[in-house]
Amino acid sequence: MSKQKRDAFSGLLNWLENGDDALSDQMQDTLSDDERAANVPLKKASAKKRKKKNADARRKKNENETAASWTDRWWYKLLAAALCVSLIALLLFAALRLPKFGGAETLIDSDLTRFYVEHTKVETGAMNIVTGIILDYRGFDTLGESHVLFIALCGVLLLLSIYGEKDEKLRLLADARDRNFEPKNDLILQCAARILTPIVFVFGVYIILNGHLSPGGGFSGGAVLGAGLILYQNAFGYKKIQRFFTYKTFRAVSVCALLFYSLAKGYHFFTGANHLESGIGTGTPGDILSGGLLLPLNIAVGCVVACTMYGLYTMFRKGEF
Amino acid sequence: MLEWARFLLCAALLAAGLFFLLTALLGVNRFRFVINRLHPAGIGDTLGLLLLSLAAVVYAGFDQVTVKILCIVTFFWITSPVCTHLIGRLVRETDKKQFEAEAKEWKS
C-alpha cells in the first residue's frame, strides 16, 4: 500500500470515529508536513473540547426543555390555533366554490379558455388539452422549464461533483460517507424493489407516451422514472445501476433531449412562431401516433426530468453517478 | 334504504380513516424520539389511507376506478412499511448512543 493511500485510510478511520470534526482536519492538505504535525494534535484537542462542550450544552438544553420559552406563552398558542383554523376555513370555503368537476360549461368563462377548448384538438391533435397548450401554444415556456432543471443540475454538479478530483482522500471520504450513512444490502428493501421497480418504470413510460391522450406527460412521467431509478440505486447500489446508467448515459441522454427540443423550437421561431411546425401531420386525435411533434417532445422532456431527478439525488448522496 | 346504508358505511369509513390520520398527526408531533415517532407515522400511511380509499370506493360505486384505487393502496402497503423500516435502521446505525439510551428506558 502506498504512503498516500495509507494516510487516507488512517484519516478515514479517524473520521469514522470522531465524526465531522475530523473531516475538517482532513481538509487541511495545503499545509506543509511540519505545520500539520504542529497543528493536528492541537486541533484534535480543541475538537475534543468542542465535543465535550457540545455535549454539555445538549444536556443543559434537555434539562431546560421544560423551562419557559417564548413559544410557551399563551398568546402564541392562541395565535397559532387561530391561524390554523382560519386557514382551514379559507381553504374549505375556496373548495366549496370550485367549479364542478367534469361539468361541460363550468370552465368557459373567458375568450382564451373558449379558444383553447374549441381549437386545441383540431390544431394540435392532442386529446389532452393541457399537453396541447404547454407543448404547442406555450412551448417556449416549457423549453425554459426544462432548461431550468438542467441548469439547476449543472450548478449542483459544479459544487458537489467529485469527478476529476485529483485528491484520492476526498474520493475515499465520499465513499466512506456513503457507506456509513446508508443502509447497504437491505434485504427487505431489495425484495420490495424487485417487485416495484419494473412496475414503476413501465408506469413512467406509459405516462410519457400517453401524455397527449390522457392526463400526464413529460414532467410527471419523468418524475416517476427518476423515482424508479432512485429506488433501484438505493436497493442495489452503484455497481448494479452502473450497468445501464452512468455519467456518460446521463450526459448523452439529457443533452440530446435538450438539443432536440431547442432545435424544434428554433425551427418554430424561424417559421413565424405560429405553431410548433413539423413535417409530421397531426394524425387522428386519439391514436398513440398522433399530435405531430407532441409525442417526441414529451419523450424529450421526460428524459431530461428523469435524468435531473436521479442526478440531483446521486450528487447530494455521493457526488458521483 | 340501500342508499342510506351505503352513505352510513361511507361516513363510518371516512371517520375511521380520519381518526387514524389524526392519531398519526398527534403522535408524530407529541413523541420525542425518531423510533417512537415512526410508529404513528406508519399507522397513518397504511391504515388511514386504506380506510379513506375504501370510503371513496363505497361512495363512487364499483367500476374501473376501484381497481386503480386498490392499486394505489397496494403500492402504499408495500412501500410505506419499507420506508419505516429503512428509517428505523438508519437511526439505529447512525445514532447509537441515543438509541441505546432510549431502549434502556423502555425496557425498565
Side-chain angles (χ1 to χ4, degrees), chain A residues 88-101 106-107 109:
Chain A
I88 291 171
L90 199 69
L91 287 176
L92 282 180
F93 185 65
L96 277 181
R97 289 175 57 89
L98 280 178
K100 193 167 174 279
F101 180 75
T106 37
L107 269 179
D109 52 2

PDB file of all heavy atoms in Angstrom, chain A residues 88-101 106-107 109:
ATOM      1  N   ILE A  88     -57.761  26.803   7.554  1.00  0.00           N
ATOM      2  CA  ILE A  88     -58.618  25.673   7.175  1.00  0.00           C
ATOM      3  C   ILE A  88     -59.954  26.178   6.653  1.00  0.00           C
ATOM      4  O   ILE A  88     -60.464  25.715   5.617  1.00  0.00           O
ATOM      5  CB  ILE A  88     -58.822  24.741   8.390  1.00  0.00           C
ATOM      6  CG1 ILE A  88     -57.509  24.038   8.732  1.00  0.00           C
ATOM      7  CG2 ILE A  88     -59.895  23.714   8.103  1.00  0.00           C
ATOM      8  CD1 ILE A  88     -57.562  23.281  10.021  1.00  0.00           C
ATOM      9  N   ALA A  89     -60.521  27.172   7.355  1.00  0.00           N
ATOM     10  CA  ALA A  89     -61.811  27.709   6.930  1.00  0.00           C
ATOM     11  C   ALA A  89     -61.710  28.310   5.538  1.00  0.00           C
ATOM     12  O   ALA A  89     -62.567  28.091   4.672  1.00  0.00           O
ATOM     13  CB  ALA A  89     -62.289  28.758   7.932  1.00  0.00           C
ATOM     14  N   LEU A  90     -60.624  29.046   5.298  1.00  0.00           N
ATOM     15  CA  LEU A  90     -60.429  29.685   3.996  1.00  0.00           C
ATOM     16  C   LEU A  90     -60.357  28.641   2.888  1.00  0.00           C
ATOM     17  O   LEU A  90     -61.017  28.751   1.843  1.00  0.00           O
ATOM     18  CB  LEU A  90     -59.135  30.493   4.036  1.00  0.00           C
ATOM     19  CG  LEU A  90     -58.967  31.571   2.978  1.00  0.00           C
ATOM     20  CD1 LEU A  90     -59.945  32.684   3.241  1.00  0.00           C
ATOM     21  CD2 LEU A  90     -57.551  32.088   2.982  1.00  0.00           C
ATOM     22  N   LEU A  91     -59.562  27.577   3.128  1.00  0.00           N
ATOM     23  CA  LEU A  91     -59.385  26.552   2.105  1.00  0.00           C
ATOM     24  C   LEU A  91     -60.690  25.814   1.837  1.00  0.00           C
ATOM     25  O   LEU A  91     -61.044  25.541   0.688  1.00  0.00           O
ATOM     26  CB  LEU A  91     -58.301  25.565   2.536  1.00  0.00           C
ATOM     27  CG  LEU A  91     -56.891  26.131   2.457  1.00  0.00           C
ATOM     28  CD1 LEU A  91     -55.888  25.122   2.981  1.00  0.00           C
ATOM     29  CD2 LEU A  91     -56.550  26.485   1.030  1.00  0.00           C
ATOM     30  N   LEU A  92     -61.438  25.508   2.926  1.00  0.00           N
ATOM     31  CA  LEU A  92     -62.707  24.806   2.741  1.00  0.00           C
ATOM     32  C   LEU A  92     -63.670  25.675   1.950  1.00  0.00           C
ATOM     33  O   LEU A  92     -64.385  25.206   1.058  1.00  0.00           O
ATOM     34  CB  LEU A  92     -63.309  24.449   4.104  1.00  0.00           C
ATOM     35  CG  LEU A  92     -62.683  23.240   4.779  1.00  0.00           C
ATOM     36  CD1 LEU A  92     -63.348  22.972   6.107  1.00  0.00           C
ATOM     37  CD2 LEU A  92     -62.813  22.021   3.888  1.00  0.00           C
ATOM     38  N   PHE A  93     -63.679  26.976   2.274  1.00  0.00           N
ATOM     39  CA  PHE A  93     -64.556  27.901   1.561  1.00  0.00           C
ATOM     40  C   PHE A  93     -64.203  27.934   0.075  1.00  0.00           C
ATOM     41  O   PHE A  93     -65.077  27.864  -0.796  1.00  0.00           O
ATOM     42  CB  PHE A  93     -64.417  29.286   2.184  1.00  0.00           C
ATOM     43  CG  PHE A  93     -65.345  30.295   1.611  1.00  0.00           C
ATOM     44  CD1 PHE A  93     -66.717  30.168   1.781  1.00  0.00           C
ATOM     45  CD2 PHE A  93     -64.860  31.366   0.894  1.00  0.00           C
ATOM     46  CE1 PHE A  93     -67.582  31.090   1.242  1.00  0.00           C
ATOM     47  CE2 PHE A  93     -65.714  32.289   0.346  1.00  0.00           C
ATOM     48  CZ  PHE A  93     -67.080  32.158   0.517  1.00  0.00           C
ATOM     49  N   ALA A  94     -62.887  28.001  -0.206  1.00  0.00           N
ATOM     50  CA  ALA A  94     -62.452  28.023  -1.601  1.00  0.00           C
ATOM     51  C   ALA A  94     -62.819  26.725  -2.299  1.00  0.00           C
ATOM     52  O   ALA A  94     -63.223  26.719  -3.465  1.00  0.00           O
ATOM     53  CB  ALA A  94     -60.946  28.248  -1.679  1.00  0.00           C
ATOM     54  N   ALA A  95     -62.691  25.587  -1.578  1.00  0.00           N
ATOM     55  CA  ALA A  95     -63.009  24.302  -2.184  1.00  0.00           C
ATOM     56  C   ALA A  95     -64.491  24.214  -2.518  1.00  0.00           C
ATOM     57  O   ALA A  95     -64.887  23.596  -3.504  1.00  0.00           O
ATOM     58  CB  ALA A  95     -62.610  23.166  -1.248  1.00  0.00           C
ATOM     59  N   LEU A  96     -65.326  24.852  -1.694  1.00  0.00           N
ATOM     60  CA  LEU A  96     -66.766  24.823  -1.966  1.00  0.00           C
ATOM     61  C   LEU A  96     -67.100  25.575  -3.249  1.00  0.00           C
ATOM     62  O   LEU A  96     -68.041  25.234  -3.954  1.00  0.00           O
ATOM     63  CB  LEU A  96     -67.533  25.466  -0.799  1.00  0.00           C
ATOM     64  CG  LEU A  96     -67.813  24.551   0.383  1.00  0.00           C
ATOM     65  CD1 LEU A  96     -68.577  25.308   1.437  1.00  0.00           C
ATOM     66  CD2 LEU A  96     -68.584  23.332  -0.066  1.00  0.00           C
ATOM     67  N   ARG A  97     -66.320  26.609  -3.550  1.00  0.00           N
ATOM     68  CA  ARG A  97     -66.642  27.452  -4.697  1.00  0.00           C
ATOM     69  C   ARG A  97     -65.999  26.985  -5.995  1.00  0.00           C
ATOM     70  O   ARG A  97     -66.154  27.635  -7.026  1.00  0.00           O
ATOM     71  CB  ARG A  97     -66.234  28.891  -4.407  1.00  0.00           C
ATOM     72  CG  ARG A  97     -67.121  29.555  -3.389  1.00  0.00           C
ATOM     73  CD  ARG A  97     -66.600  30.930  -3.060  1.00  0.00           C
ATOM     74  NE  ARG A  97     -66.494  31.751  -4.275  1.00  0.00           N
ATOM     75  CZ  ARG A  97     -67.479  32.506  -4.744  1.00  0.00           C
ATOM     76  NH1 ARG A  97     -68.637  32.535  -4.089  1.00  0.00           N
ATOM     77  NH2 ARG A  97     -67.319  33.234  -5.819  1.00  0.00           N
ATOM     78  N   LEU A  98     -65.248  25.878  -5.942  1.00  0.00           N
ATOM     79  CA  LEU A  98     -64.649  25.371  -7.171  1.00  0.00           C
ATOM     80  C   LEU A  98     -65.729  24.926  -8.148  1.00  0.00           C
ATOM     81  O   LEU A  98     -66.796  24.466  -7.727  1.00  0.00           O
ATOM     82  CB  LEU A  98     -63.745  24.172  -6.859  1.00  0.00           C
ATOM     83  CG  LEU A  98     -62.357  24.466  -6.331  1.00  0.00           C
ATOM     84  CD1 LEU A  98     -61.635  23.166  -6.049  1.00  0.00           C
ATOM     85  CD2 LEU A  98     -61.564  25.256  -7.351  1.00  0.00           C
ATOM     86  N   PRO A  99     -65.484  25.059  -9.464  1.00  0.00           N
ATOM     87  CA  PRO A  99     -66.477  24.567 -10.425  1.00  0.00           C
ATOM     88  C   PRO A  99     -66.587  23.053 -10.333  1.00  0.00           C
ATOM     89  O   PRO A  99     -65.656  22.366  -9.925  1.00  0.00           O
ATOM     90  CB  PRO A  99     -65.918  25.015 -11.769  1.00  0.00           C
ATOM     91  CG  PRO A  99     -64.483  25.269 -11.530  1.00  0.00           C
ATOM     92  CD  PRO A  99     -64.358  25.715 -10.126  1.00  0.00           C
ATOM     93  N   LYS A 100     -67.737  22.565 -10.742  1.00  0.00           N
ATOM     94  CA  LYS A 100     -67.986  21.138 -10.650  1.00  0.00           C
ATOM     95  C   LYS A 100     -67.029  20.378 -11.577  1.00  0.00           C
ATOM     96  O   LYS A 100     -66.789  20.794 -12.705  1.00  0.00           O
ATOM     97  CB  LYS A 100     -69.433  20.853 -11.056  1.00  0.00           C
ATOM     98  CG  LYS A 100     -69.915  19.476 -10.719  1.00  0.00           C
ATOM     99  CD  LYS A 100     -71.437  19.422 -10.860  1.00  0.00           C
ATOM    100  CE  LYS A 100     -71.944  18.013 -10.676  1.00  0.00           C
ATOM    101  NZ  LYS A 100     -71.809  17.181 -11.865  1.00  0.00           N
ATOM    102  N   PHE A 101     -66.504  19.261 -11.079  1.00  0.00           N
ATOM    103  CA  PHE A 101     -65.535  18.506 -11.868  1.00  0.00           C
ATOM    104  C   PHE A 101     -66.218  17.853 -13.063  1.00  0.00           C
ATOM    105  O   PHE A 101     -67.227  17.163 -12.911  1.00  0.00           O
ATOM    106  CB  PHE A 101     -64.874  17.434 -10.995  1.00  0.00           C
ATOM    107  CG  PHE A 101     -63.859  16.626 -11.736  1.00  0.00           C
ATOM    108  CD1 PHE A 101     -62.622  17.162 -12.041  1.00  0.00           C
ATOM    109  CD2 PHE A 101     -64.146  15.341 -12.154  1.00  0.00           C
ATOM    110  CE1 PHE A 101     -61.687  16.432 -12.729  1.00  0.00           C
ATOM    111  CE2 PHE A 101     -63.213  14.604 -12.850  1.00  0.00           C
ATOM    112  CZ  PHE A 101     -61.982  15.165 -13.132  1.00  0.00           C
ATOM    113  N   THR A 106     -68.693  24.760 -17.103  1.00  0.00           N
ATOM    114  CA  THR A 106     -68.189  25.489 -15.949  1.00  0.00           C
ATOM    115  C   THR A 106     -66.876  26.203 -16.253  1.00  0.00           C
ATOM    116  O   THR A 106     -66.590  27.248 -15.689  1.00  0.00           O
ATOM    117  CB  THR A 106     -67.972  24.543 -14.773  1.00  0.00           C
ATOM    118  OG1 THR A 106     -67.492  23.325 -15.282  1.00  0.00           O
ATOM    119  CG2 THR A 106     -69.241  24.332 -13.998  1.00  0.00           C
ATOM    120  N   LEU A 107     -66.068  25.628 -17.144  1.00  0.00           N
ATOM    121  CA  LEU A 107     -64.722  26.167 -17.323  1.00  0.00           C
ATOM    122  C   LEU A 107     -64.678  27.389 -18.233  1.00  0.00           C
ATOM    123  O   LEU A 107     -63.808  28.231 -18.109  1.00  0.00           O
ATOM    124  CB  LEU A 107     -63.804  25.082 -17.903  1.00  0.00           C
ATOM    125  CG  LEU A 107     -63.096  24.256 -16.854  1.00  0.00           C
ATOM    126  CD1 LEU A 107     -62.249  23.200 -17.512  1.00  0.00           C
ATOM    127  CD2 LEU A 107     -62.225  25.152 -15.988  1.00  0.00           C
ATOM    128  N   ASP A 109     -65.078  30.628 -19.091  1.00  0.00           N
ATOM    129  CA  ASP A 109     -65.517  31.924 -18.610  1.00  0.00           C
ATOM    130  C   ASP A 109     -64.690  33.050 -19.230  1.00  0.00           C
ATOM    131  O   ASP A 109     -64.794  34.177 -18.828  1.00  0.00           O
ATOM    132  CB  ASP A 109     -65.478  31.993 -17.075  1.00  0.00           C
ATOM    133  CG  ASP A 109     -64.131  31.558 -16.558  1.00  0.00           C
ATOM    134  OD1 ASP A 109     -63.264  31.260 -17.391  1.00  0.00           O
ATOM    135  OD2 ASP A 109     -63.952  31.515 -15.337  1.00  0.00           O
TER     136      ASP A 109
END
